[in-house]
Amino acid sequence: MKLEAIRAAEARLLLSTYDRNPLLFERGEGVHIIAENDERYLDLLSGIGVNALGYGHPAIEEAIARQSRALIHTSNLYFHAGQAKLALLLTERTGLDRVFFANTGTEAWEAAMKLARAHAGLLRSEGVNIGTKFLALEQSFHGRTYGSVSTTYKAKYREPFGPVVPGVEFVRFNDVADLREKFSHDVCAILVESIQGEGGIRPLTQEFFTAARELTESTGALLIVDEIQAGMGRTGKWCAYQHYDVRPDITTLAKPLAGGIPLGAMLCTEEVARAIHPGMHGTTFGGGPLACAVALAVIETIEREGLLAHVTEVGGYFQSKLRGLAQKHDVIVNVRGKGLMLAAELDSADLAKHTVQEMLRRKILINCTSDTVLRFLPPYILQWEHVDEAIAALDEIFTEHEESNTVASSIHAGGQVRG
Ligand SMILES: Cc1ncc(COP(=O)(O)O)c(C=O)c1O
């Protein structure tokens, strides 16, 4: 089936949830994804932060082949070897104690929210004065299921589906005074992303993170950190909160965790884990043998290939090149991020949209989030020459834009003189 036929069939048969770009991808190699007619695209988005090892990595292919021959699914009624091995690696790397495996980011986040409410209930039964309210942040994104969407800031994601889960209040991003004002014994958890992803690659300040940790510690409330986009090495550390020297009570991982096979994980401290007993929460597929085997291969590969250090180095180079571009082109109003979670914020939403399309025309995939923010989430195996290619393309697009603006304004000025 060719693209046009697929497009027509999808338009007739699928729920209309996506506005896809007209590209039909067939395979991938390294940092490139390849469309029909062998058209190669440099992928600086990696399936929205999922394909951390790029495409066709032998470690992932080998893990899928081996595990699929042995055992794909068991359900959580029985043991298989994968969960315990993976939980050991994840707890060691995140600094937390226990793991619950899910399938996606949003399910990991649901588990975190449910656990926070259950933990507050346990504390109340022990005589602690603590309520059930969540404090989430403005511009946050935690997913699309009911709990997650209730803690996601943008009204367009929540309002059509209301009423959403009650008991959520939003705090102004990085505003410590607002956080202090809204925090009370009613709060069971403060919910943050260390670096907001969909919200525009916005890092928390150290001051805000520290204040959130101190406030929660003062009442028994939990600090829950969503690392679904920023975690698993994307910022050069296993979790972005490790840049801040903060230990949360709960964190969530997903996206790159199993290299493209769906897998999510919620991790918590031993203290918080006291609130859950068999039968309270679960999933049919979460933490299946196939996903766990691939996640083990992803972690081993990141370590064997020294990819955390590589992400820091190549990400630093990418960021410095973006800063150079910002000095040359006034349309870039801000550059931010860490490792290979980067953004260039432009001065207009139209230009951001235009830039994504022009990059596509030059066979480079990026996207735009929060209207004006160009987002870069490339595979961790990105090399310096790929950065140079992307920067040259952006430079060309902004130069063309500025030239066309200059021509337009001189025609306009000329017109006024003549008029
Ligand atoms: C920070 C964050 N949390 C949660 C989610 C939801 O993850 P999923 O789409 O796997 O449900 C996302 C997805 O973009 C995310 O970026």
Side-chain angles (χ1 to χ4, degrees):
M1 240 184 177
K2 287 288 179 203
L3 176 59
E4 279 318 309
I6 291 172
R7 224 176 161 176
E10 283 202 358
R12 199 161 39 84
L13 296 168
L14 296 193
L15 196 63
S16 177
T17 44
Y18 305 108
D19 191 11
R20 300 194 208 279
N21 285 291
L23 284 173
L24 181 59
F25 286 120
E26 293 177 338
R27 63 204 162 82
E29 281 171 20
V31 295
H32 291 98
I33 182 162
I34 302 163
E36 347 164 66
N37 308 321
D38 253 4
E39 292 196 346
R40 295 170 76 84
Y41 288 78
L42 173 61
D43 187 357
L44 300 185
L45 195 58
S46 58
I48 323 186
V50 169
N51 301 316
L53 301 184
Y55 297 94
H57 197 290
I60 292 186
E61 290 181 353
E62 196 277 322
I64 292 174
R66 179 176 31 83
Q67 190 58 45
S68 68
R69 280 194 298 266
L71 189 64
I72 292 175
H73 175 75
T74 53
S75 88
N76 280 304
L77 296 178
Y78 309 101
F79 292 96
H80 65 82
Q83 288 198 13
K85 278 190 204 162
L86 181 57
L88 179 64
L89 296 195
L90 290 176
T91 51
E92 284 172 354
R93 281 150 191 78
T94 58
L96 293 173
D97 303 319
R98 286 181 182 264
V99 187
F100 170 77
F101 288 111
N103 303 281
T104 59
T106 198
E107 279 177 86
W109 192 249
E110 291 288 330
M113 290 180 65
K114 286 176 73 178
L115 181 55
R117 287 246 170 104
H119 179 253
L122 176 67
L123 290 187
R124 279 193 299 281
S125 75
E126 294 169 348
V128 177
N129 174 16
I130 187 165
T132 57
K133 191 165 141 186
F134 291 112
L135 291 184
L137 293 195
E138 292 190 1
Q139 316 309 332
S140 60
F141 184 90
H142 298 296
R144 309 285 195 150
T145 50
Y146 263 108
S148 304
V149 91
S150 309
T151 54
T152 287
Y153 180 66
K154 279 191 188 140
K156 70 172 183 185
Y157 295 131
R158 276 183 288 119
E159 284 181 352
F161 307 106
V164 295
V165 174
V168 179
E169 190 174 6
F170 291 96
V171 171
R172 279 196 296 278
F173 184 68
N174 274 340
D175 186 332
V176 175
D178 197 39
L179 178 68
R180 288 191 193 286
E181 199 180 308
K182 289 174 178 159
F183 189 80
S184 70
H185 283 276
D186 287 341
V187 172
C188 72
I190 297 177
L191 317 175
V192 300
E193 295 155 80
S194 308
I195 302 179
Q196 289 190 333
E198 304 303 304
I201 315 293
R202 290 175 208 279
L204 282 189
T205 57
Q206 180 71 53
E207 188 196 4
F208 189 90
F209 224 152
T210 305
R213 182 65 284 181
E214 283 170 5
L215 284 170
T216 46
E217 273 170 0
S218 71
T219 64
L222 305 181
L223 176 61
I224 308 186
V225 182
D226 182 342
E227 292 275 335
I228 288 164
Q229 192 163 138
M232 288 304 293
R234 175 149 298 283
T235 68
K237 290 193 187 277
W238 284 108
C239 290
Y241 59 72
Q242 290 162 338
H243 293 286
Y244 296 83
D245 205 19
V246 165
R247 183 185 187 230
D249 301 292
I250 299 181
T251 195
T252 50
L253 301 169
K255 289 191 182 281
L257 182 53
I261 301 291
L263 182 65
M266 181 210 64
L267 292 101
C268 65
T269 60
E270 200 64 55
E271 155 59 27
V272 178
R274 294 190 301 130
I276 288 282
H277 303 292
M280 282 174 76
H281 191 62
T283 158
T284 300
F285 289 108
L290 182 67
C292 287
V294 182
L296 286 166
V298 168
I299 294 172
E300 282 160 11
T301 305
I302 288 174
E303 289 182 343
R304 193 182 56 253
E305 296 187 1
L307 288 176
L308 294 185
H310 177 77
V311 161
T312 303
E313 259 186 74
V314 78
Y317 177 70
F318 200 161
Q319 183 156 175
S320 73
K321 286 285 176 180
L322 286 172
R323 289 191 190 286
L325 265 192
Q327 295 202 322
K328 184 169 172 195
H329 300 286
D330 291 345
V331 293
I332 304 178
V333 296
N334 197 358
V335 169
R336 53 182 179 257
K338 233 182 173 41
L340 287 173
M341 183 174 186
L342 294 170
E345 184 167 1
L346 304 188
D347 65 358
S348 103
D350 283 347
L351 178 60
K353 235 191 208 163
H354 170 78
T355 306
V356 171
Q357 288 310 313
E358 281 296 307
M359 289 292 270
L360 199 64
R361 218 164 58 74
R362 289 165 173 77
K363 307 237 172 340
I364 302 175
L365 302 185
I366 61 169
N367 92 331
C368 167
T369 183
S370 270
D371 299 331
T372 53
V373 180
L374 301 181
R375 175 169 54 168
F376 309 92
L377 298 172
Y380 303 174
I381 55 171
L382 194 78
Q383 296 298 324
W384 284 257
E385 66 263 26
H386 305 128
V387 175
D388 292 342
E389 186 183 337
I391 295 292
L394 288 168
D395 191 14
E396 199 176 277
I397 294 164
F398 296 140
T399 303
E400 280 173 14
H401 169 77
E402 283 151 9
E403 282 169 3
S404 72
N405 271 0
T406 312
V407 171
S409 60
S410 66
I411 289 172
H412 183 63
Q416 278 180 339
V417 169
R418 275 196 301 277

